[in-house]
Amino acid sequence: GQQVMQIPQYQHVQEGEDFTTYCNSSTTLSNIQWYKQRPGGHPVFLIQLVKSGEVKKQKRLTFQFGEAKKNSSLHITATQTTDVGTYFCAGISWGNTGKLIFGQGTTLQVKP
Amino acid sequence: NAGVTQTPKFQVLKTGQSMTLQCAQDMNHEYMSWYRQDPGMGLRLIHYSVGAGITDQGEVPNGYNVSRSTTEDFPLRLLSAAPSQTSVYFCASSVTGAGSRYFGPGTRLLVL
């Protein structure tokens, strides 16, 4: 079945450093979504990418969708303490609309 | 709008007991789904529904039943709870199966 792998599992950075998490799918995706979960909270939608090679930016966050639509990345520039949380990628395979499969997540800790 | 609501917030069960986790949304979303979240495992899809009267299995459906008699409600039933079902359960809804998910606050379940 469809699998979504995400690395690293944990990342500790000093405030101001950059951060990147990578996501790989075992199948070609129709779209990929990113979510953020704060400690003790629920996942909150950040963005959706649908086109091959797509790049989207939200302030200090840059999201990319690979050319083959099997991988994605999230890059945060100059991290802040408010970026703390777990970032999940989640993908929908072609022909499997309805099954949004999540990666294991990357937990980001930011030292002030 | 209340968004996605889940009850109860916390529950302790004994092995073999049954219970129903409630989920409701007031956004008139056609799509609803249930996930469980365990440490290091990300969110795993249990069951999902693309509309009233239609349900399908996700990645980890065993031990859980669902039904969707109305657009608003999507309850998750544990027929005979097992310690392996100790987890945090999230319900999510979406306009379509391909769209972004709105998550509820979660139900923390402990099975002794």
Side-chain angles (χ1 to χ4, degrees), chain A residues 3 10 12 24 32 38 41 47 56 73-74 97 99 110:
Chain A
Q3 289 188 320
Y10 298 99
H12 296 252
N24 283 286
I32 195 156
R38 295 183 187 274
I47 208 160
K56 285 189 175 180
S73 64
L74 158 60
T97 300
K99 281 191 176 182
V110 180

Side-chain angles (χ1 to χ4, degrees), chain A residues 8 14 17 26 33 57 65-66 72 93 95 98-99 102 104 111:
Chain A
Q14 199 73 35
E17 291 181 338
S26 60
Q33 301 175 16
K57 293 190 176 185
F65 200 9
S72 182
S93 288
K99 281 191 176 182
F102 279 74
Q104 300 93 325
K111 298 177 193 174

Side-chain angles (χ1 to χ4, degrees), chain A residues 31 33 35 37 42 48 98 100, chain B residues 31 35 37 98-101 104:
Chain A
N31 78 62
Q33 301 175 16
Y35 292 79
Q37 184 178 27
H42 60 274
Q48 178 173 280
L100 183 66
Chain B
Y31 179 92
Y35 288 87
Q37 184 173 32
S100 57
R101 298 335 190 215

Side-chain angles (χ1 to χ4, degrees), chain B residues 4 16 18 24 31 49 55 63 75 89-90 100 110:
Chain B
V4 180
S18 63
Y31 179 92
S49 169
T55 63
Y89 291 85
F90 289 101
S100 57
L110 174 62

Side-chain angles (χ1 to χ4, degrees), chain A residues 39-88:
Chain A
H42 60 274
V44 174
F45 174 77
L46 293 176
I47 208 160
Q48 178 173 280
L49 305 171
V50 297
K51 297 178 183 176
S52 171
E54 189 170 14
V55 178
K56 285 189 175 180
K57 293 190 176 185
Q58 287 181 349
K59 296 183 181 177
R60 294 177 295 104
L61 278 61
T62 301
F63 303 85
Q64 290 187 312
F65 200 9
E67 294 290 339
K69 301 185 78 173
K70 295 184 75 172
N71 61 287
S72 182
S73 64
L74 158 60
H75 180 81
I76 303 179
T77 303
T79 54
Q80 300 175 359
T81 54
T82 53
D83 296 324
V84 164
T86 300
Y87 294 85
F88 292 98

